[in-house]
Amino acid sequence: MTIVLGAIADDFTGATDLANNLVRGGMRCLQVIGVPQQALDLANVDAVVVALKSRSCPPDEAIADSLAALAWLRDQGAKQLFFKYCSTFDSTDQGNIGPVADALLDALGASQTVMVPAFPINGRTVYQGHLFVGDRLLNDSGMQHHPLTPMQDADLVRVLSRQTAHPVGLTNRAVLAKGADATRDHLSALAEQGVRHVICDSLDEQDLSVLAEATVSLPLVTGGSGLGQALPAQYRAQGWLDTITEPGRLQPASGSSLVLSGSCSRATLAQVANFLERHPESGFALDPLSLDEGDKQWEQALAFAFERLEQHAPALIYASADPDKVNAAQQALGIERAGKLVEDALSQLAVTLVNEGVGRLLVAGGETSGAVVSALGITTLRIGEQIDPGVPWTQAPWPGREAPLSLALKSGNFGGVDFFTRAFEVLA
């Protein structure tokens, strides 16, 4: 079997975000964790998203992992490749968006790609090359405080130009308003001028549809998941994709429910607060400083979770905290150690509690999700229906159980304030 789209995502929740929109666009989608080491059954699969943990690792490592994913996806017959990164363009001056995109273009022998991070339904838009989160420029949205990839410049042409030696151009809204043919001509003119990377404005779903039509013939497109929802219609127009009914159907869920949260984004902090307001006895807060002292706090968290689950009550274990508390822990322990303590604690809790009967697991935060999925040993996820824009339920087979494990992997910035509560209502 061959697939229509092969995608490479630079983190776990970003992969799920894209897969969710592909399903919404009418594609049956499988998410794989890392490059598969054995053959997969791709019957009844139209798109595969390879989830990497390459957003904030050294650029050389991100390039090597991404090229390995590219080689595997090409072997599966993918007609188009997609490099997925966050809709807030999370990166540093060293990368990894620019270096990875350059390496993928070189491997494909391609001369140009587009950069389309916008996800309008989630408030991520680009105008005159500047990225907005809601009505705020990126550097005034809270992302300037991100612990790993602080975004202090909203001008994406300028940001990307610091990551690549190749020319970076802009396709603005005035061009998109003229339609797909005019946009395609504009991109061709930029390519003749040697412009390799093109930042694209996008204010709404129509802009994304224009871009999808204009770029369907490119070997490689890059961006956020918004473009992913617009591409399937173009694949159908090309005759590459049939009309699929219920592309996101999953098996019935079973087992206890658990939320693990490591994200410190504004959205997740509000979700934690909302959940605790609705369920005052349901939360247990982890602290990196306490975790650094030994196993006592982890054991307390485990005992708390067991007690809640035995009562068939919701349980939330979280390390989400405000910026001042996060900064204090990072200054005391170092950024890397503080993060690793939280990831290790939440991962170990996930493994223990899933083995004890948790069947519905919600994880908040891209890095946390990656760590949890890796610890659980999950290698494939079938993508189901959407909970909120960018976040679907997924399922993975679990040894010794008839029913699969249901997982929701939420990017820190995504979801409404009542997301933790509503997610389980959607699954039920």
Side-chain angles (χ1 to χ4, degrees):
M1 300 295 293
T2 61
I3 57 174
V4 177
L5 179 67
I8 303 162
D10 67 358
D11 82 342
F12 287 74
T13 56
T16 309
D17 171 16
L18 173 60
N20 171 68
N21 271 359
L22 295 173
V23 169
R24 286 170 58 77
M27 301 184 83
R28 296 162 297 185
C29 191
L30 190 70
Q31 178 176 330
V32 298
I33 313 304
V35 180
Q37 301 302 306
Q38 56 189 17
L40 298 180
D41 179 5
L42 297 182
N44 302 315
V45 174
D46 306 305
V48 176
V49 182
V50 179
L52 303 177
K53 199 173 181 181
S54 58
R55 179 170 300 172
S56 54
C57 68
D60 288 349
E61 183 180 330
I63 289 170
D65 290 348
S66 300
L67 289 176
L70 174 67
W72 185 86
L73 290 166
R74 293 180 81 182
D75 285 345
Q76 312 315 308
K79 296 180 182 296
Q80 188 172 50
L81 284 303
F82 192 132
F83 170 36
K84 162 69 172 68
Y85 41 78
C86 188
S87 59
T88 47
F89 216 72
D90 292 22
S91 53
T92 67
D93 286 351
Q94 292 71 46
N96 291 334
I97 295 173
V100 169
D102 278 329
L104 295 175
L105 285 169
D106 288 343
L108 290 166
S111 61
Q112 187 186 74
T113 190
V114 290
M115 300 274 173
V116 190
F119 194 0
I121 197 170
N122 259 4
R124 276 65 163 168
T125 55
V126 180
Y127 182 67
Q128 294 299 334
H130 288 69
L131 180 54
F132 289 79
V133 178
D135 61 355
R136 298 286 179 176
L137 283 164
L138 177 65
N139 54 291
D140 192 31
S141 68
M143 282 301 298
Q144 70 270 34
H145 301 307
H146 193 286
L148 297 178
T149 51
M151 298 302 295
Q152 298 174 345
D153 190 351
D155 185 334
L156 299 190
V157 173
R158 194 161 54 206
V159 170
L160 190 61
S161 294
R162 294 194 287 264
Q163 299 181 23
T164 176
H166 297 278
V168 180
L170 172 67
T171 294
N172 64 25
R173 187 101 191 298
V175 173
L176 298 181
K178 297 176 183 177
D181 289 341
T183 301
R184 194 181 297 110
D185 291 344
H186 177 73
L187 292 171
S188 296
L190 290 176
E192 289 176 3
Q193 298 168 26
V195 176
R196 195 178 210 202
H197 305 287
V198 184
I199 301 293
C200 297
D201 280 3
S202 305
L203 294 183
D204 54 30
E205 304 302 319
Q206 178 60 29
D207 288 342
L208 293 175
S209 295
V210 168
L211 283 166
E213 184 177 351
T215 62
V216 69
S217 62
L218 290 181
L220 174 73
V221 293
T222 86
S225 65
L227 182 62
Q229 191 168 330
L231 283 170
Q234 299 307 316
Y235 298 151
R236 284 190 287 272
Q238 297 290 321
W240 298 349
L241 180 68
D242 293 331
T243 299
I244 309 297
T245 57
E246 296 188 292
R249 170 177 275 190
L250 297 178
Q251 296 182 47
S254 66
S256 304
S257 302
L258 174 67
V259 181
L260 300 175
S261 179
S263 171
C264 297
S265 71
R266 288 180 180 176
T268 301
L269 291 175
Q271 290 157 0
V272 169
N274 179 271
F275 191 79
L276 294 175
E277 183 178 343
R278 289 168 176 252
H279 310 283
E281 305 299 322
S282 68
F284 187 98
L286 293 175
D287 172 38
L289 295 173
S290 297
L291 292 171
D292 189 50
E293 294 175 356
D295 294 336
K296 182 178 180 181
Q297 191 179 55
W298 184 88
E299 291 169 353
Q300 291 172 337
L302 182 62
F304 169 84
F306 274 135
E307 181 181 353
R308 297 292 296 174
L309 298 178
E310 285 173 1
Q311 298 170 3
H312 303 287
L316 163 66
I317 300 176
Y318 62 101
S320 307
D322 62 56
D324 289 341
K325 191 170 182 179
V326 172
N327 289 336
Q330 289 178 339
Q331 288 177 7
L333 302 170
I335 294 175
E336 185 174 348
R337 177 157 179 77
K340 189 173 188 308
L341 284 165
V342 169
E343 288 181 10
D344 287 351
L346 292 174
S347 298
Q348 292 167 22
L349 286 166
V351 171
T352 302
L353 293 167
V354 168
N355 282 325
E356 291 296 327
V358 166
R360 300 169 171 92
L361 176 61
L362 191 162
V363 187
E367 297 294 322
T368 306
S369 293
V372 167
V373 169
S374 295
L376 289 169
I378 291 170
T379 58
T380 61
L381 293 168
R382 190 79 190 204
I383 307 302
E385 297 296 335
Q386 175 174 278
I387 304 166
D388 261 352
V391 194
W393 276 106
T394 73
Q395 286 186 338
W398 193 255
R401 286 191 200 169
E402 236 179 85
L405 173 64
S406 296
L407 281 161
L409 307 173
K410 186 192 84 73
S411 176
N413 289 299
F414 282 9
V417 68
D418 62 344
F419 181 87
F420 291 170
T421 299
R422 196 158 34 79
F424 295 110
E425 295 173 352
V426 167
L427 189 62

